[in-house]
Amino acid sequence: MSPEADSSVLQIWGGHSLQGHVRISGAKNSALVIMAGALLCSGDCRIRNVPLLADVERMGQVLSALGLSLTRQGDMLDINAIDISTSKAPYELVTQLRASFFAIGPILARLGVAQMPLPGGCAIGARPVDLHVRGLQAMGAEVQIEHGICNAYVPGSNKRLQGAKIYLDTPSVGATETLMMAATLADGETIIENAAREPEVVDLANFCNSMGAKIQGAGTSTITIVGVEKLHSTDYTIIPDRIETGTFLVAGAITRSELLLSPVAPDHLIPVIAKLRDIGVPIIEEGSDCLRVLPAEKLRATDIDTLPHPGFPTDMQAPFMALLTLAEGDSIINESVFENRLRHASELNRLGADIRVKGNTAFVRGVPMLSGAPVIGTDLRASAALVIAGLAAEGKTTIQGLKHLDRGYDRLDMKLQQLGAKIIRVNEASADAELHSNHQISSASASI
């Protein structure tokens, strides 16, 4: 992340079509957990296709604080985890990055003891760590949470977790990944039932297996891990980011543009592609790792329910809401994964959208056009939605809150510039005073 990210804004002059090729970066949610997974290796790990993100930088700081050595060159990251100098992760870093909490699994597996502050991240709803804790307890760990710190240790002389049968009340991605990593070095067999099925879980399993772990069933609801005593060095390439891919598909759709995207994994985007086609957007698969989006004759309304994978991803809900503001007819979006993830509706309304929110459901009535205005990104995907809307809006849109955007998109503004978008990043001090004098957020205006 640029050191100026917190004090900068994006200015977008909308109404311009895009054209060209988009290179999709490595998956954010894979990169973060695979970096944590490197703690399991008592040697060197080389990770390729690592995106340039604020969250990746912060995870690197967490690992460095634990005593690991990290060297980055381009999108390649070398991590040496031969020695872990401390079992206590720094509070000021973990509380800013939720994914860093997942390191409690590999730290506990390696050292037999771990102290991890409770996590932070985007304010999109409650994401408790009780599933992580109960799973670790089932594997023989003693876990206590005091003063915002999760303290865990493995009793006994050998300090080794024990294989267990674990059922997750909900298919939590974080809990699945934490427990899967912990189980790789446990004594015996661990079975995780009702496991998350996201592609990033599969990516983590493949990474661990490349180090000598014995994991089967990743991508299904039942994952089986046979623990080994030690993992070895590896050279591993992260999968493409399916949410970045989906975001650029929607950007192409809302601007009625033709874009070519690669490398991508179409199998990871089945519900996203299906919904785009429902809306009337032609999506063509060209080869195994390339997608082309073509201009739609018209955009049609549709209904969306977010669900855990393989359902429609919650991370694509906000970008699709931006697209549906210009679709003909009425759309209904039901957010069933997180309870506080519709705050972008009021910001889209500032651009001229017609969205009403009731509870976790948004009612979107298509409008003929959007108009540029100053807006604020309230979380990572909400910020992306505002960028997408700004690309289609007439006039200038100014977006504040880029610290969220830079957490999860690898140089999004620069990639859009290369496609012909009229978008620049400027220091907040030089932006129009309307960001401060005219911006009034009213949750009532977006509610019924």
Side-chain angles (χ1 to χ4, degrees):
M1 178 178 66
S2 165
E4 299 179 352
D6 285 349
S7 61
S8 61
V9 298
L10 282 181
Q11 293 182 333
I12 305 173
W13 289 264
H16 300 277
S17 63
L18 309 177
Q19 186 174 9
H21 171 256
V22 185
R23 184 191 179 279
I24 300 301
S25 301
K28 163 189 176 281
N29 290 334
S30 279
L32 296 176
V33 73
I34 284 174
M35 288 173 69
L39 285 159
L40 294 164
C41 176
S42 52
D44 296 306
C45 289
R46 172 163 288 180
I47 308 171
R48 301 179 188 268
N49 203 28
V50 178
L52 186 63
L53 305 172
D55 274 7
V56 168
E57 180 181 338
R58 194 163 287 130
M59 178 63 87
Q61 292 169 351
V62 172
L63 297 181
S64 294
L66 292 169
L68 277 63
S69 173
L70 291 84
T71 304
R72 178 159 189 160
Q73 183 175 352
D75 67 357
M76 185 172 67
L77 182 64
D78 289 324
I79 302 177
N80 183 303
I82 293 176
D83 295 313
I84 303 177
S85 61
T86 178
S87 61
K88 185 176 182 179
Y91 175 88
E92 65 277 7
L93 293 175
V94 177
T95 52
Q96 297 179 55
L97 177 62
R98 178 173 181 80
S100 57
F101 182 82
F102 307 162
I104 192 172
I107 293 173
L108 191 59
R110 275 283 299 274
L111 302 181
V113 61
Q115 293 176 284
M116 188 68 61
L118 295 180
C122 278
I124 57 175
R127 293 185 284 178
V129 297
D130 57 321
L131 297 179
H132 308 64
V133 170
R134 291 206 299 269
L136 294 174
Q137 288 172 333
M139 299 171 71
E142 297 285 344
V143 185
Q144 291 183 329
I145 298 178
E146 296 178 335
H147 308 296
I149 304 293
C150 185
N151 298 283
Y153 70 95
V154 182
S157 57
N158 68 357
K159 300 294 184 182
R160 193 174 180 193
L161 291 166
Q162 300 297 307
K165 191 164 187 177
I166 301 168
Y167 176 81
L168 300 179
D169 291 340
T170 60
S172 160
V173 174
T176 300
E177 293 173 337
T178 297
L179 300 175
M180 187 169 68
M181 288 188 288
T184 60
L185 296 178
D187 183 12
E189 180 182 79
T190 299
I191 299 175
I192 304 174
E193 298 279 8
N194 198 29
R197 300 166 59 185
E198 272 71 4
E200 295 79 15
V201 173
V202 179
D203 208 22
L204 174 63
N206 290 338
F207 168 72
C208 292
N209 285 342
S210 74
M211 296 189 294
K214 297 181 179 179
I215 303 173
Q216 293 184 327
T220 75
S221 58
T222 302
I223 301 176
T224 302
I225 309 103
V226 177
V228 298
E229 290 190 3
K230 187 177 180 180
L231 297 180
H232 56 69
S233 297
T234 189
D235 187 326
Y236 188 81
T237 301
I238 291 171
I239 60 173
D241 194 306
R242 61 192 172 104
I243 306 302
E244 184 191 22
T245 305
T247 300
F248 274 103
L249 289 175
V250 173
I254 202 169
T255 56
R256 310 294 178 97
S257 302
E258 179 176 346
L259 298 177
L260 187 67
L261 284 67
S262 71
V264 301
D267 287 349
H268 298 169
L269 290 156
I270 290 172
V272 171
I273 293 172
K275 278 299 174 186
L276 283 170
R277 288 172 174 163
D278 285 347
I279 294 169
V281 180
I283 305 292
I284 301 172
E285 294 187 26
E286 297 188 358
S288 61
D289 69 343
C290 190
L291 289 173
R292 186 182 298 274
V293 55
L294 299 175
E297 292 184 9
K298 68 175 183 177
L299 300 175
R300 300 187 294 265
T302 192
D303 294 341
I304 292 173
D305 288 281
T306 65
L307 292 166
H309 192 79
F312 189 91
T314 178
D315 282 349
M316 285 305 303
Q317 175 257 112
F320 264 77
M321 187 183 293
L323 177 62
L324 291 172
T325 63
L326 294 176
E328 294 183 11
D330 295 338
S331 302
I332 299 175
I333 300 175
N334 182 47
E335 175 55 62
S336 64
V337 178
F338 294 118
E339 75 277 9
N340 192 27
R341 209 174 196 185
L342 295 174
R343 292 186 297 164
H344 45 279
S346 60
E347 297 301 297
L348 289 170
N349 283 343
R350 287 182 57 78
L351 298 172
D354 184 354
I355 306 169
R356 296 170 299 142
V357 174
K358 184 176 182 179
N360 291 326
T361 302
F363 302 86
V364 185
R365 174 160 291 176
V367 296
M369 60 172 281
L370 299 175
S371 299
V375 291
I376 295 178
T378 53
D379 64 60
L380 169 54
R381 306 306 174 184
S383 300
L386 296 177
V387 172
I388 287 170
L391 293 172
E394 292 193 6
K396 184 176 74 172
T397 298
T398 304
I399 304 174
Q400 200 174 14
L402 301 190
K403 63 180 181 181
H404 298 298
L405 189 72
D406 292 334
R407 285 186 49 240
Y409 286 94
D410 186 345
R411 295 162 288 187
L412 179 64
D413 50 328
M414 295 175 63
K415 289 185 178 183
L416 287 170
Q417 283 176 355
Q418 293 171 356
L419 298 173
K422 307 304 180 184
I423 178 173
I424 60 171
R425 184 183 291 244
V426 298
N427 189 278
E428 187 175 6
S430 64
D432 293 342
E434 63 186 355
L435 278 169
H436 304 289
S437 60
N438 295 335
H439 194 92
Q440 296 178 346
I441 299 175
S442 175
S443 58
S445 68
S447 302
I448 58 173

